[in-house]
Amino acid sequence: MIRTILIDDEPLARDIVKYYLSDHAEIEIVAECGDGFEGLKAITLHKPDLIFLDIQMPKISGFEMLELVEDKPAVIFTTAFDEFAIKAFEVNAVDYLLKPIDKSRFDAAIKKLPNKLNQTENTEAVLDAAALSPAQNNRVVVKKDGVIKIIPVADINYLEADDDYVKLSTVDGSFYKNKTMAYFEQTLDAGQFIRIHRSYIINLAQVTKIELKEKDSYVVLLKSDIWLPVSKTGYVKLKAALGL
C-alpha cells in the first residue's frame, strides 16, 4: 500500500485527484491539506510515501514547503506553473500533472511510481532548478524551533557559510538554511548581493565602509556594525558593484 497526502489550496483540484485515485486501490489517502503549512505538519506526522503537491499556494509555495521537508517523499506536482519549471521536472524525472488534470495522464503518472518512490536526489534537483525562476528568489523560507518564517531577501544583511548550512543574518536575527553558498550566489540578485569571500555574501545596501586592513587585504563594515573580510576576488567584484 502506497500512503499519500494531497496538498492543494483548491478543494476541487483535490476532489479530482481523489476521484482518479479511486481506480488505484494500491494508494491510500492519509491526509488532505489546503496549504503548505498544513502539508508540512501532515508529512511530519504521517511520513507518506507519496504526495500530490500544488505549486502556487497562499502563504508558502509548494517548492518552499518541500524545501523544509527533511525526509522527502516521492512527489507528483499538480500545477499550472510556467514552462521553465515544467522543463525542470522533465529533465529530473519527477512527474507533474498540468491542470486541468487529464485522467489518462494521471494514470500514466501512477504507472511510473514504482521507479520514483524515494528518489530524493531528483526532488532536490527540481528544487534547485526551480529556484532559478524569478518567481522563487525574492524571499527565503526557513524553519526555526518548529516555526516557519518567510524572510524577504531585502531583510538579509549577509550570509555566512557554516558547515553544511548557510547562516542568514537578518534584521530579526540569524537563521539557518540547508543550502550552499554557491546556491545563494546563483539565485540571489547579483545587483543586490555580492560574494566578497568564500564564506560571505553581503547585501550591498548594508555597506558603509571598505578599509585596507593590511597589504592587499580588505574588510567591509556593514550598517549592523559587523566587519567582514574581503578576498582579492571579492574586492574586485565589490568595487565594480559599487562603481568605485
Side-chain angles (χ1 to χ4, degrees):
M1 184 68 71
I2 298 172
R3 303 168 73 252
T4 190
I5 293 175
L6 315 185
I7 307 172
D8 196 312
D9 64 308
E10 301 175 27
L12 178 59
R14 298 199 305 271
D15 288 343
I16 290 172
V17 172
K18 283 192 293 183
Y19 176 68
Y20 288 166
L21 283 175
S22 64
D23 290 337
H24 298 275
E26 75 279 14
I27 300 178
E28 175 191 9
I29 300 172
V30 296
E32 289 185 51
C33 305
D35 60 56
F37 289 136
E38 292 180 8
L40 188 60
K41 292 178 182 178
I43 291 171
T44 302
L45 177 63
H46 296 285
K47 295 180 171 51
D49 307 297
L50 166 72
I51 59 174
F52 288 86
L53 179 63
D54 187 19
I55 294 175
Q56 295 168 305
M57 294 186 292
K59 300 181 181 178
I60 59 174
S61 72
F63 288 139
E64 291 168 333
M65 187 218 76
L66 199 54
E67 281 189 345
L68 300 176
V69 176
E70 294 181 3
D71 297 319
K72 293 178 175 56
V75 182
I76 294 179
F77 290 98
T78 55
T79 178
F81 209 61
D82 59 73
E83 184 179 358
F84 173 88
I86 292 171
K87 288 181 179 177
F89 304 156
E90 291 173 334
V91 169
N92 294 289
V94 174
D95 219 336
Y96 66 94
L97 297 170
L98 281 177
K99 295 178 179 178
I101 300 172
D102 176 77
K103 178 64 162 63
S104 61
R105 181 66 182 84
F106 183 92
D107 292 338
I110 298 301
K111 287 181 180 179
K112 297 177 184 178
L113 273 177
N115 296 323
K116 294 188 177 184
L117 294 175
N118 302 318
Q119 290 190 358
T120 302
E121 297 83 1
N122 287 336
T123 303
E124 291 290 355
V126 168
L127 291 175
D128 288 346
L132 300 179
S133 170
Q136 293 298 119
N137 60 14
N138 61 354
R139 64 187 193 177
V140 179
V141 178
V142 297
K143 184 167 66 171
K144 183 176 183 179
D145 300 327
V147 177
I148 296 173
K149 182 173 178 62
I150 299 171
I151 304 172
V153 294
D155 289 350
I156 300 174
N157 297 330
Y158 68 92
L159 301 91
E160 179 181 357
D162 191 341
D163 293 329
D164 294 332
Y165 292 82
V166 171
K167 183 175 77 171
L168 285 68
S169 177
T170 78
V171 294
D172 294 324
S174 296
F175 303 89
Y176 289 84
K177 188 77 171 177
N178 189 12
K179 291 289 185 182
T180 64
M181 292 292 282
Y183 167 86
F184 282 109
E185 186 177 19
Q186 187 177 25
T187 57
L188 290 173
D189 181 1
Q192 183 180 4
F193 289 88
I194 298 293
R195 188 166 187 175
I196 60 168
H197 186 276
R198 62 179 180 149
S199 298
Y200 295 99
I201 296 174
I202 62 169
N203 185 342
L204 284 175
Q206 293 295 314
V207 175
T208 62
K209 187 187 298 186
I210 304 172
E211 284 190 1
L212 179 67
K213 184 177 181 181
E214 52 191 49
K215 184 180 179 181
D216 296 327
S217 177
Y218 290 85
V219 290
V220 62
L221 177 65
L222 304 185
K223 291 179 180 178
S224 53
D225 288 330
I226 297 292
W227 288 94
L228 297 177
V230 183
S231 68
K232 290 181 180 180
T233 303
Y235 181 62
V236 173
K237 291 191 294 185
L238 185 56
K239 281 205 308 179
L242 293 173
L244 300 177

